[in-house]
Amino acid sequence: MIFSTTVLNRVVATSVVTTSIALSPYFGAIAQAQTVNGAGATFPAPLYERYAREVRKKHPDLKVNYQGIGSSGGIRQVIAGTVDFGGSDAAMKDEEIAKVKNGVILVPTAGGAVSVVYNVPGVNNLKLSRATLPAIYSGQITRWDDAKIKADNPGVNLPNQTIKFAVRADGSGTTFIFTNHLSAISGYFKGRVGANTAPKWNLPNVLKGKGNPGVAAIVARTPGSIGYVEYSYAVKNNLKSALVQNKKGEFVAPSLESANAALATVNFPDNYRVFVGDPGQGYPIVGLTWMIVYKQYANASKADAIKKWINWVLKDGQQYNDDLNYTRIPSDVANRVLQTVNSTVKP
């Protein structure tokens, strides 16, 4: 019995040691896992949420959290240093970049269309010309049966009803894309409202919603309303989108194909900052969205996690853009961005 107990004790002790050795790499992997936190634009939020799920398949040690709070909120958090990366559909201005002590790199991740959505029962395939749309959002047109809307839509029974305007309550890159286009095609709109993430709307019957989801919800439940949302939100919420007149005079519906056509001729400078005001073809209200990363992070593991994340987004992640109706970043541009990120981001 004494011999057997001794042997048993040795076996148990050996098993404990063996188990500890076998498990130690596992615990080491957990200790090395990295969480990356981002916040900003709601325009790409559905895409970034998909990215965050898919990246775990290749990098199970990398967890990414993204909160859609609006582009202005994302930029503010980048400046404050409270996130690992920000998101914005309005590229940071020089004066904003100058406030970031660790420096920033603008990483284009996708492009897309901003739909002009409306809720007018009985009216389908609404057309809005380059003269009419800016006039609506500058307050010159306030009723659905206005002569200018009728001229764009001959034979359509437009109601004798006041237009209700759905706009963003928060600072928004989607708003910037929308107002940037209207400013490019209308001097009156540019002088009265201008290209801005948070313009002062001098409009009657204004309804404000937070984020793209908020504006989409307002239009969905409010007959007589018109608003603007990123295209995927229009599709998801079964909202009607207007056909908008482009520079060629064509009335074009928002789609992945028409957004790709509009963005096909975009040239990316060294800082990757692009403002698309009035493209020469395709659907005219389009823009890009960026992740904003720092040039310097607090430690090597965080810097490595950011580089791992951005490399995945621009290499593997782009395949998911089409699924959610976002345009891809051209491969040559993506390669340039990765060279910048991989050589510049440091602890």
Side-chain angles (χ1 to χ4, degrees), residues 105-108 269-272 293-295 306-308 310-312 314-315 329-346:
I105 302 170
L106 301 182
V107 177
D270 291 342
N271 63 4
Y272 312 112
V293 303
Y294 298 106
K295 293 181 178 179
I306 286 292
K307 286 194 277 191
K308 184 184 292 184
I310 297 300
N311 274 264
W312 184 90
L314 291 182
K315 291 179 180 178
I329 299 302
S331 58
D332 61 323
V333 177
N335 289 334
R336 283 171 51 201
V337 175
L338 289 177
Q339 288 177 0
T340 301
V341 169
N342 292 332
S343 63
T344 307
V345 173
K346 300 181 187 304

Side-chain angles (χ1 to χ4, degrees), residues 134-135 137-140 182-183 185-194 202:
Y137 265 90
S138 58
Q140 293 173 290
L182 297 188
S183 294
I185 65 173
S186 168
Y188 183 86
F189 182 91
K190 184 177 182 180
R192 188 176 179 85
V193 182
N202 187 18

Side-chain angles (χ1 to χ4, degrees), residues 5-264:
T5 303
T6 303
V7 170
L8 179 60
N9 288 340
R10 287 176 179 171
V11 170
V12 172
T14 303
S15 298
V16 171
V17 172
T18 303
T19 303
S20 297
I21 293 172
L23 290 177
S24 60
Y26 173 77
F27 286 119
I30 292 178
Q32 294 170 9
Q34 278 289 335
T35 297
V36 174
N37 296 311
T42 62
F43 180 102
L47 180 63
Y48 290 178
E49 290 164 6
R50 179 72 179 274
Y51 284 170
R53 293 195 303 271
E54 298 294 340
V55 73
R56 299 297 296 273
K57 296 177 182 178
K58 184 171 183 178
H59 301 296
D61 60 333
L62 181 63
K63 181 180 180 182
V64 179
N65 300 315
Y66 183 78
Q67 184 180 8
I69 60 172
S71 293
S72 293
I75 290 174
R76 283 195 300 270
Q77 293 211 19
V78 167
I79 292 172
T82 54
V83 290
D84 298 316
F85 72 94
S88 180
D89 317 319
M92 290 182 76
K93 300 174 184 176
D94 290 341
E95 55 268 30
E96 293 170 332
I97 292 173
K99 295 177 182 178
V100 184
K101 64 178 182 179
N102 289 336
V104 295
I105 302 170
L106 301 182
V107 177
T109 56
V114 172
S115 294
V116 179
V117 291
Y118 64 97
N119 182 345
V120 183
V123 176
N124 300 308
N125 301 315
L126 178 73
K127 294 179 180 178
L128 296 173
S129 68
R130 291 165 71 83
T132 301
L133 182 57
I136 290 173
Y137 265 90
S138 58
Q140 293 173 290
I141 295 175
T142 59
R143 302 191 66 81
W144 280 109
D145 60 349
D146 186 276
K148 289 184 178 179
I149 302 180
K150 283 185 173 181
D152 292 344
N153 299 273
V156 176
N157 185 22
L158 293 160
N160 179 14
Q161 185 177 7
T162 298
I163 297 173
K164 298 174 183 176
F165 300 89
V167 301
R168 288 285 287 270
D170 51 333
S172 158
T174 305
T175 300
F176 178 82
I177 293 170
F178 183 63
T179 58
N180 187 46
H181 172 66
L182 297 188
S183 294
I185 65 173
S186 168
Y188 183 86
F189 182 91
K190 184 177 182 180
R192 188 176 179 85
V193 182
N196 204 311
T197 57
K200 293 181 179 179
W201 297 107
N202 187 18
L203 298 168
N205 306 309
V206 171
L207 304 170
K208 295 185 177 182
K210 187 175 181 180
N212 277 285
V215 174
I218 288 172
V219 174
R221 67 173 181 259
T222 310
S225 62
I226 188 170
Y228 55 90
V229 296
E230 195 276 324
Y231 174 57
S232 67
Y233 289 89
V235 173
K236 181 179 179 181
N237 290 279
N238 296 312
L239 298 174
K240 296 176 183 178
S241 293
L243 283 72
V244 179
Q245 190 177 35
N246 66 11
K247 186 179 282 189
K248 289 184 175 182
E250 303 163 334
F251 286 94
V252 185
S255 68
L256 178 60
E257 181 181 6
S258 61
N260 270 317
L263 293 170

